[in-house]
Amino acid sequence: ILEQRRRLHAGEQGAAEDYVTAKFHLVDLAGSERAKRTGAVGNRFKESVAINSGLLALGNVISALGDPSKRGSHVPYRESKLTRLLQDSLGGNSRTVMVACVSSADGDFEETLNTLKYAHRARNIKNK
């Protein structure tokens, strides 16, 4: 996370100071880890469970923000550290870019399709 703050010119002496804040988040979501496919055990398995729960929470936030029928309803930002961290980027006054890495291999078809669906839901988010 990179954050920059810039003070705006104060009109009168003693008046409240205004700041413009810029944040830059670069997050690698690591991908949906299938324990059966990767053969993860022990600590690796626990890490993949944490990754999947974070991605699920992010998916719930993306659905709540991107689905027109759910607009105005509760957005579950507090479900994970990831969604809390990205709250301003997803639902705030910001510009957000999502890069989805996909594979053309036959064995990765299902994961590639899920990644593209996930990215498409994120694309539907419209902020004010």
Side-chain angles (χ1 to χ4, degrees):
I1 300 173
L2 174 68
E3 184 173 342
Q4 177 185 4
R5 292 181 58 148
R6 183 173 49 120
R7 187 174 65 171
L8 298 177
H9 301 291
E12 298 177 14
Q13 197 160 11
E17 295 179 348
D18 290 328
Y19 287 91
V20 173
T21 302
K23 294 180 183 179
F24 180 77
H25 299 269
L26 183 61
V27 180
D28 180 5
L29 297 177
S32 177
E33 303 294 331
R34 298 198 186 277
K36 194 176 209 179
R37 183 173 177 205
T38 61
V41 292
N43 287 339
R44 214 70 206 264
F45 177 73
K46 288 179 184 177
E47 183 182 354
S48 70
V49 168
I51 289 169
N52 285 337
S53 65
L55 289 174
L56 178 64
L58 181 60
N60 291 339
V61 168
I62 288 172
S63 292
L65 291 170
D67 188 355
S69 65
K70 295 182 181 179
R71 291 238 166 94
S73 65
H74 171 70
V75 180
Y77 289 116
R78 293 184 180 181
E79 287 186 9
S80 79
K81 291 179 184 177
L82 176 64
T83 54
R84 192 77 167 148
L85 176 73
L86 296 176
Q87 182 174 356
D88 290 339
S89 299
L90 294 169
N93 183 18
S94 64
R95 296 176 189 253
T96 304
V97 175
M98 180 177 185
V99 178
C101 298
V102 296
S103 172
S104 60
D106 291 340
D108 295 328
F109 175 77
E110 186 177 335
E111 287 188 36
T112 295
L113 183 61
N114 287 337
T115 299
L116 291 173
K117 287 179 181 177
Y118 198 89
H120 182 70
R121 286 189 300 154
R123 184 178 174 199
N124 289 335
I125 296 173
K126 302 287 186 230
N127 291 336
K128 297 175 185 173

